[in-house]
Amino acid sequence: MRRRLSHQDSRALPSCDSSPEASPCGRAPHPCCFCWCCCCSCSCLAMKDRDKGVCNSRRTSNVSTLGSLQRTDESGRLSVSEVSSWALSFSALLESPAGRAVFMEFLRSEHSDENMLFWQACEGLKAETRRAAVAERAKQIYLDYISILSPKEVSIDATVRETINSNMAAPTAHIFDDAQAQIYALMHRDSYPRFLNSPLYQSLLQSLGPAVPAGDS
C-alpha cells in the first residue's frame, strides 16, 4: 500500500508565489523553482520532463521484460500455450515462474508490487522448517509489509493485523496465512483482470504466435 500525502501535509509543501518582486522573469524567487531566473514555468517544464522520464523508464522496463521472456521461449522453456494458460486462472499465473515475473512487472507499473512481494515472502516462510529461521523471517516480513511504518505496507483489515501483532511474540510459519489470503484475493479481484488486458501481457502473447485453444496439444 502506497502512502499518500494528507491534506495537512499538502498545505506544508511550498507553493509558487506569483507576486512579481525583483525577479528577471517577473516572479518572486522560490525554492520550488529550479532555473536560475526563478521562473516557475521552468520548474513546471522540468516536472514534465521528469514525468516523461518515468514513463520512458517504465516502457524500457516492459520492453526488457518482453525480450527476456522471448529469449526464454527460444530456448524452449516458455510457449504460447503456457502464456495463454495464464488467462485461464489466477492460480495458473502464479504457478508459473515466468508468469510471476511478468505479473510482477505489471504490478510495478501500477505501484502495487508490494502485494506480490508479500505473497511470495509468505510462501517462502511456509516452506521454512527451522524454528529460528521461521522467527527471523516472520519478523522481517512483519517489518517489511505489516508494520504501519513500512513504505511497503500491504492493505489488510484491522482484525487480521491485530491477530498478527498478538502472535508475533512466538510466530509460526503460518502466522500470515489470513493476511496472505486477503492479498491474494485483492490481486485476483483488482490487478489480475487489468493484467490480462494490459499491453504488456497482450504484446507478449502476440509475440509468441497464435494462441493455442484449451485442450489442444
Side-chain angles (χ1 to χ4, degrees), residues 14-206:
S15 59
C16 292
D17 188 351
S18 60
S19 59
E21 291 182 7
S23 172
C25 60
R27 294 186 183 273
H30 201 282
C32 72
C33 301
F34 301 111
C35 65
W36 65 269
C37 67
C38 300
C39 176
C40 286
S41 62
C42 295
S43 68
C44 292
L45 291 174
M47 291 176 67
K48 289 180 180 178
D49 290 341
R50 179 203 63 193
D51 292 340
K52 289 179 182 178
V54 171
C55 292
N56 290 335
S57 175
R58 290 177 188 166
R59 190 176 300 112
T60 300
S61 180
N62 287 346
V63 170
S64 175
T65 298
L66 288 176
S68 175
L69 289 172
Q70 287 164 350
R71 284 194 296 273
T72 302
D73 178 60
E74 291 167 1
S75 66
R77 293 193 297 271
L78 182 65
S79 65
V80 63
S81 60
E82 179 180 356
V83 176
S84 299
S85 73
W86 300 346
L88 299 179
S89 69
F90 186 50
S91 60
L93 173 66
L94 295 189
E95 287 169 4
S96 165
R100 292 194 299 271
V102 71
F103 185 55
M104 175 73 82
E105 188 66 32
F106 170 75
L107 292 178
R108 287 194 189 100
S109 73
E110 291 203 331
H111 304 290
S112 59
D113 51 305
E114 73 275 4
N115 291 328
M116 189 64 181
L117 290 171
F118 172 69
W119 185 87
Q120 290 180 317
C122 291
E123 289 295 288
L125 177 64
K126 287 188 289 187
E128 185 59 70
T129 56
R130 295 170 298 154
R131 181 177 300 181
V134 166
E136 182 178 349
R137 294 182 71 160
K139 180 181 178 181
Q140 192 60 55
I141 292 172
Y142 179 87
L143 293 175
D144 286 344
Y145 306 107
I146 304 300
S147 170
I148 60 174
L149 299 177
S150 172
K152 297 186 293 184
E153 179 193 358
V154 293
S155 180
I156 57 177
D157 66 41
T159 301
V160 170
R161 190 182 301 277
E162 285 303 317
T163 300
I164 293 173
N165 288 340
S166 300
N167 294 332
M168 278 304 296
T172 68
H174 296 276
I175 186 173
F176 301 114
D177 280 5
D178 289 341
Q180 185 187 21
Q182 288 190 353
I183 295 304
Y184 180 96
L186 177 64
M187 293 191 294
H188 188 190
R189 180 181 66 251
D190 292 344
S191 302
Y192 177 58
R194 290 197 299 274
F195 166 73
L196 295 180
N197 292 314
S198 69
L200 179 61
Y201 176 66
Q202 292 297 324
S203 296
L204 174 62
L205 194 59
Q206 292 170 13

